[in-house]
Amino acid sequence: MQSQARSTTYDVCIVGSGAGGGMAAHALTKAGARVALLEAGQMWDPIKDGAMLKWPYDSPRRGASTREKPFGEYDGCIGGWQIDGEPYTTAPGSKFDWWRARMLGGRTNHWGRISLRFGPYDFARKSRDGLGDDWPITYDDVKPWYDEVDKLIGIFGSVEGLPNEPDGIFHPPPVPRCYERLASNAAKKLGLTVVPSRLSIITKPHNGRAPCHYCGQCNRGCMTNSNFSSTGVLIPPAQKTGRLTLITNAMAREVTVGKDGLANGVSYIDKKTGRDAHVSARIVVLAASACETARLLLNSKSSTFPNGLANSSGTVGKYLTDTTGSDVSGFIPKMMEMPPHNEDGVGGMHIYMPWWLDNSKLDFPRGYHIETWGGRGMPGSGFMGGIHRYPNGGGYGASLKDDYRRYYGSTIGFSGRGEMIPNDDSYCEIDPNVVDQYGIPVLRFHWKWTDAEYNQVKHMQETFRAIIAEMGGEVFSPMPTKEQGYGIANGGAIIHELGGARMGKDPATSVVNANCQAHDVKNLFVTDGSPFVSQADKNPTWTILALSMRTSDFIASQRKAGAL
Ligand SMILES: Cc1cc2nc3c(=O)[nH]c(=O)nc-3n(C[C@H](O)[C@H](O)[C@H](O)COP(=O)(O)OP(=O)(O)OC[C@H]3O[C@@H](n4cnc5c(N)ncnc54)[C@H](O)[C@@H]3O)c2cc1C
Ligand code: SF4
């Protein structure tokens, strides 16, 4: 097929418009660069396209999930675990789930907005316990950028002074809801730390955006733009500079390289026409999400880079990690038949339980934090997950309706989100036999949890069961056995995949340097989760945003100095 080349040579071509790409587009256009942003998905605007306040009965499907909206018809993310025509494979014995968004703003349209800074220990874990690797940067290197992200986007939370949970520049947090107060009391009795949660939702006017009005539906996309999405907060100001060229439905195939060994643009498929096309640029920034960035690099083969671009170390695709995860839910009799009360709040938890223990007394390294869910949100299709699970629940007619009213809001759930250590058996590579509908070779995933993760998840299960017991409740499911992996979620299932183009000082063991600049190609940068050296017991996106802003500032300064 003939390739269509755009006549302009842009200062920067960015691939992907989610957290990492949206921030780079914002920062670089503000710094004066002319940017082409390639996005594989369609246009989307949370303010116009969100489904805020829609009732289940507004749709014949009652809001139930579809293949491209696995989290429900009203969810803000187009994409999912499987995308028609875009397969991925797993090696025998490996289980890995890969969530991919295909829309402007990527996964930031429906993410949980839990916005945590990595702490000082998280950048230097090897120095503390000898496992994995240290980052080439410290918390102090990233702190100014976390501060800038807080100021630009807005986040609520509370100043606590905890050692590895750095405070930010916070809006006031919402008060805990009834079920959160009960959970908090029980958890504190068991010695856990409980603080207000930290979510990128504004609770007072911020940079022209209205504060949250507590509809509790953040995953649908916020029509008042009160929570963070790249589409609502980063892309529009970038467009206002007049320097952003947004190219949607553009599936990047590879980064192209000139005779000088530098990146000179990106080739892509125009999904609307099926034709090959090309954007020329002086600098390329990859932010297509961690694994897709590894895929792009591995597929960018040339005579200069026969093993893929920026892959002289052979580590592209390696050191892939995901957050460990396991859940427990239960029924709390004292939360039955609650009098009507105000449970309005944000679309996420109002309390946060950070890691609270000393690993020297445990049989696993690293930690996890706890996310709490429950309460009386708007009922959706199939809500309450089976009334028959409640004592004497079920039946039909008036008594069934009555049971729903009595039991509604009387369940609670806890999810652990913990740190995995990178290992040699967890990585992605190009599958030699499979291509997607565009003819682009796809990824094959290899995955292995070790005892470090299994023992951590066992501890999660025991802790959550103890909290539910302390609340006087009954757990819905038996304790998973060792053979069941203690209920550990599949690799990728927590959707915090990181690594694949990790940063480091040594070009022999890492892909990018401390500025997320490829060791092998000085005008190639990566601003998604792939440069992460390790996970933390924190969700990653606030760090992706801070690093993207930091890298963009580095690019701007290098351009000014004429070095790029
Ligand atoms: C349900 C859910 C809840 C989450 N909750 C949290 C949370 O509470 N806190 C937290 O920190 N993180 C959370 N996450 C994770 C968070 O969404 C990601 O860490 C973050 O979005 C990653 O940003 P990114 O820019 O790397 O990727 P994305 O946001 O996924 O953006 C990547 C973009 O690149 C595009 N793209 C991909 N391939 C190509 C290609 N070949 N060519 C062109 N474009 C391409 C995609 O279409 C997409 O728009 C959650 C994720 C999900 C799904
Ligand atoms: S809870 Fe607040 S931030 Fe979330 S969608 Fe509703 S108004 Fe927007």
Side-chain angles (χ1 to χ4, degrees), residues 15-21 38-41 71 99 101-108 110-115 250-253 287-290 292 295-296 494-496 527-529 539-542 544:
V15 181
S17 64
L38 295 180
E39 167 51 54
F71 288 175
W99 181 286
R102 285 287 177 268
M103 64 195 299
L104 190 67
R107 288 171 284 175
T108 67
H110 77 148
W111 69 309
R113 276 92 184 177
I114 299 170
S115 302
M251 182 74 191
R253 179 195 290 281
S289 78
E292 184 72 19
R295 180 186 180 202
L296 279 163
I494 306 300
I495 324 182
H496 290 165
T527 65
D528 51 25
N539 314 47
T541 309
W542 219 239
I544 293 176

Side-chain angles (χ1 to χ4, degrees), residues 224-245:
T224 54
N225 208 18
S226 310
N227 60 23
F228 170 69
S229 65
S230 172
T231 12
V233 180
L234 299 176
I235 306 282
Q239 283 177 306
K240 272 199 191 130
T241 64
R243 289 187 281 274
L244 182 69
T245 303

Side-chain angles (χ1 to χ4, degrees), residues 52 201 211-218 221-224 226-227 345-347:
M52 182 188 265
I201 294 170
C212 172
H213 57 268
Y214 294 156
C215 77
Q217 298 180 334
C218 287
C222 182
M223 297 176 87
T224 54
S226 310
N227 60 23
V346 302

